[in-house]
Amino acid sequence: MLAAAQRLRRSSDFAAAVRGGRRAGRGAVVVHLTLPTAPDGSTATSPEPARGAEHTSAPTRAGFVVSKAVGPAVVRNKVRRRLRHLVRERLDALPAGSTLVVRAQPAAADASYTRLGADLDGALAAARAPRGRRSR
């Protein structure tokens, strides 16, 4: 279970993460990741604070979206529990103050725990990767 301070609850928090974050999808999940901004306006890339800095920054928070398209309530809750457990293990790797929204696709209903973990890892890596120019 995620601590109360690590959970997204308000719809405005979800909306801000989805609108302002970087989106990446892999297999059965889509992640929206909003990284904290440094005082100079750039996004923080190091998950650890600078030496001498106080550890008063906001905690990394996560929220989950599992729609009715995934399946009936029992299946949705199973998918949500699996994703919550997988994200809990990976929250420490994100910079403090990050906001993560994990949206389950309908394929998540039939995906195994290891498959969900691999999809989540791939999506997080893609969302954290620096944006480069795509060649056409």
Side-chain angles (χ1 to χ4, degrees):
M1 189 64 129
L2 292 173
Q6 294 177 321
R7 286 182 286 195
L8 289 178
R9 292 190 175 159
R10 296 185 309 202
S11 64
S12 60
D13 292 340
F14 277 90
V18 170
R19 285 191 193 116
R22 298 195 49 202
R23 181 184 67 185
R26 294 291 184 273
V29 297
V30 175
V31 300
H32 299 268
L33 180 63
T34 304
L35 296 172
T37 55
D40 62 357
S42 65
T43 58
T45 56
S46 173
E48 289 141 41
R51 273 187 213 205
E54 303 240 353
H55 196 324
T56 59
S57 63
T60 302
R61 301 182 331 154
F64 304 92
V65 178
V66 184
S67 73
K68 288 185 178 181
V70 173
V74 172
V75 174
R76 291 194 311 268
N77 287 328
K78 179 177 78 168
V79 169
R80 189 178 297 114
R81 282 192 308 268
R82 286 179 171 182
L83 288 173
R84 191 169 47 224
H85 184 74
L86 288 164
V87 166
R88 184 180 63 187
E89 297 170 348
R90 291 157 175 80
L91 272 183
D92 293 337
L94 296 175
S98 299
T99 304
L100 174 70
V101 173
V102 181
R103 183 165 43 98
Q105 302 287 66
D110 299 323
S112 67
Y113 183 80
T114 55
R115 168 78 192 276
L116 281 175
D119 288 348
L120 181 63
D121 287 338
L124 282 172
R128 290 189 73 179
R131 290 186 189 179
R133 294 189 57 97
R134 292 188 218 168
S135 60
R136 291 187 181 205

